[in-house]
Amino acid sequence: MSSDTPAALPQRGPAVRPPAAAPAGGATRAIPSARPTAPDPTGGGTSGRAPGAPGLAAFNASPAPRAEALLLGCCGSHRWARRVAAHRPYPDLGALLAACDEAAYDLAPADVHEALALESAAGPAPDAPPAARTALAAAHAAYESRFGHAFVICLDGHRPDEYLDQVLAGIRRRLAHEPDEERSVAADELRALARSRVVRALASAPGKGRPGRPV
């Protein structure tokens, strides 16, 4: 896909995302491009980034369906994607990320549920020892059994070698939440993931898939 047109709606991948490089002048983070060959690192998992994602100028100029498709690769709420796309053009990345945050804060429970339903649990790194694989699988299973959706977490600010420990600690901590409390926490993580994924989508080089490493 050319670098001047947004990618079509990507397949969703694992929900934990590695930190995104901070853009000049401000904000950062999951979410992504075409589904990677290896699972993402980080915590609860969702969508994939589209290959050849455009820059901000191309995003601003894209037809609404294309812009919304790219945004749905960052957060699976159609209401969120429509709202962010409808407020184009954005003068800079900071303005776009502020709009992403504002739209995320206004999501109704049904919108959060819609987005969480498209997230999937991140798997371990290919070279992870059997004990780590077992622990991660058990933790994800316990979380999904209790709350009915994949565990999501934004790991911006953590090193890749910390991802697995952060995911396991996050799941164990959040298993103690009541469902309403956890839904609020998950919504905050989705918002952070969406920011990171938007940055990644707009920064992706033509033909490259979404960056990311497994937990």
Side-chain angles (χ1 to χ4, degrees):
M1 177 171 296
S2 70
S3 61
D4 61 349
T5 56
L9 179 61
Q11 292 264 26
R12 293 224 167 235
V16 177
R17 303 287 164 221
T28 54
R29 176 161 269 263
I31 134 195
S33 56
R35 196 171 196 155
T37 55
D40 268 321
T42 22
T46 89
S47 52
R49 294 284 167 267
L56 180 60
F59 172 73
N60 281 335
S62 298
R66 287 178 179 263
E68 290 174 18
L70 182 142
L71 290 165
L72 283 169
C74 303
C75 175
S77 163
H78 283 77
R79 180 169 179 256
W80 178 86
R82 285 194 300 267
R83 178 169 173 179
V84 175
H87 285 80
R88 295 173 302 152
Y90 294 98
D92 52 44
L93 183 58
L96 170 57
L97 295 178
C100 290
D101 280 349
E102 182 179 358
Y105 284 128
D106 287 345
L107 292 181
D111 301 315
V112 174
H113 178 78
E114 178 188 28
L116 287 172
L118 292 177
E119 298 289 331
S120 62
D127 60 350
R133 293 176 176 276
T134 299
L136 186 62
H140 279 307
Y143 180 92
E144 292 181 22
S145 175
R146 174 157 172 73
F147 298 113
H149 58 78
F151 176 75
V152 292
I153 186 172
C154 179
L155 296 182
D156 286 355
H158 293 284
R159 301 189 312 270
D161 61 357
E162 298 175 326
Y163 291 163
L164 178 59
D165 287 345
Q166 289 297 319
V167 171
L168 289 173
I171 292 176
R172 290 164 182 159
R173 180 176 63 253
R174 287 162 57 180
L175 278 171
H177 291 171
E178 292 301 318
D180 286 348
E181 180 184 9
E182 178 55 22
R183 192 158 37 246
S184 176
V185 172
D188 283 343
E189 295 295 336
L190 282 173
R191 177 184 56 79
L193 285 170
R195 286 175 59 92
S196 183
R197 291 166 178 173
V198 165
V199 171
R200 287 166 177 269
L202 297 186
S204 294
K208 295 295 181 66
R210 147 175 66 113
R213 302 184 201 89
V215 171

